[in-house]
Amino acid sequence: GAGVSQSPSNKVTEKGKDVELRCDPISGHTALYWYRQSLGQGLEFLIYFQGNSAPDKSGLPSDRFSAERTGGSVSTLTIQRTQQEDSAVYLCASSLETAPSSPLHFGNGTRLTVT
Amino acid sequence: AQSVTQLDSQVPVFEEAPVELRCNYSSSVSVYLFWYVQYPNQGLQLLLKYLSGSTLVESINGFEAEFNKSQTSFHLRKPSVHISDTAEYFCAVSSIQGAQKLVFGQGTRLTINP
């Protein structure tokens, strides 16, 4: 596709349920990033992938959060046993490489609401 | 570790007026600096960046930002704004070492009034 695609665009779930958020990066982009945008915390880094490897997971808030990337392409962010504080917009971005000269292309995000 | 402070959460201005969106950062290591823009109902887009060289950088739509190392600032300016500039603007930094692990400010909502 022309840009980074995220699905679903909106997700409402009950507290305690698991959710999966999907990101389709731009074809050929080796680097993929997950960020979270919430009212109280602003934009926070969660994790990034170089290929299928995740060299930096330091932003994941708890062990309920995990992410994987397969085939150097699609990535899935999984949140287990969701809590109300997980409500936020989850943003995915990709770039040709991890160097700062390579701009990040963001998707429109998945708005997660935990009731 | 790095941190970014955007001093104004909201900036209302009239069309064709000048605007400055302020950004200050703190870091124990050298950083690269970025401004991202989020138009209504759209994803974040890179507006401009400072990596090295000239401290004044420009975007294609008339914005400019100047890196001031002594004041640890990277303020964004435009001499004459348009209605279409209405958006939220985010200042961000990343360490020059390693991947683009961006640290963002809280954002400034720019509203242009006719």
Side-chain angles (χ1 to χ4, degrees):
Chain A
V4 176
S5 177
Q6 292 187 246
S7 60
S9 55
N10 281 283
K11 176 72 177 179
V12 180
T13 190
E14 292 180 352
K15 178 181 173 181
K17 295 284 180 68
D18 298 352
V19 295
E20 284 189 354
L21 312 180
R22 177 187 169 104
C23 172
D24 282 276
I26 293 173
S27 178
H29 280 195
T30 61
L32 185 147
Y33 302 77
W34 284 98
Y35 286 83
R36 179 169 73 171
Q37 186 174 21
S38 57
L39 280 177
Q41 301 297 323
L43 273 156
E44 306 169 274
F45 167 83
L46 298 178
I47 184 172
Y48 91 91
F49 290 89
Q50 178 60 41
N52 293 333
S53 301
D56 191 338
K57 307 179 184 180
S58 61
L60 294 178
S62 74
D63 58 8
R64 296 186 294 104
F65 287 72
S66 63
E68 65 174 10
R69 189 179 185 194
T70 54
S73 179
V74 172
S75 176
T76 303
L77 178 68
T78 300
I79 309 174
Q80 295 179 310
R81 306 181 301 283
T82 52
Q83 303 294 311
Q84 287 186 330
E85 62 262 29
D86 299 335
S87 296
V89 177
Y90 290 82
L91 296 171
C92 176
S94 70
S95 64
L96 272 174
E97 53 185 33
T98 58
S101 56
S102 183
L104 293 187
H105 298 262
F106 282 85
N108 286 346
T110 293
R111 181 176 298 277
L112 175 66
T113 303
V114 182
T115 62
Chain B
Q2 297 92 43
S3 68
V4 177
T5 302
Q6 290 183 244
L7 296 165
D8 306 297
S9 59
Q10 296 187 61
V11 173
V13 296
F14 287 107
E15 194 172 16
E16 298 183 6
V19 70
E20 178 180 80
L21 307 183
R22 295 178 291 171
C23 172
N24 288 88
Y25 70 93
S26 172
S27 177
S28 56
V29 299
S30 295
V31 295
Y32 296 125
L33 297 127
F34 306 83
W35 275 98
Y36 279 81
V37 58
Q38 189 170 29
Y39 297 104
N41 302 314
Q42 295 186 30
L44 278 165
Q45 303 172 33
L46 179 66
L47 185 63
L48 47 74
K49 62 186 176 186
Y50 171 78
L51 302 182
S52 65
S54 172
T55 57
L56 184 66
V57 291
E58 298 177 353
S59 73
I60 58 173
N61 59 350
F63 282 93
E64 64 179 29
E66 186 159 20
F67 169 49
N68 187 318
K69 189 174 182 179
S70 63
Q71 296 188 3
T72 60
S73 68
F74 192 53
H75 301 330
L76 182 69
R77 302 182 183 95
K78 189 170 184 180
S80 176
V81 294
H82 302 284
I83 293 284
S84 59
D85 293 324
T86 295
E88 188 147 19
Y89 292 79
F90 294 90
C91 181
V93 302
S94 70
S95 168
I96 64 171
Q97 302 293 333
Q100 288 192 73
K101 183 177 166 181
L102 295 171
V103 175
F104 285 89
Q106 293 291 321
T108 298
R109 186 170 299 278
L110 177 63
T111 304
I112 313 299
N113 299 306

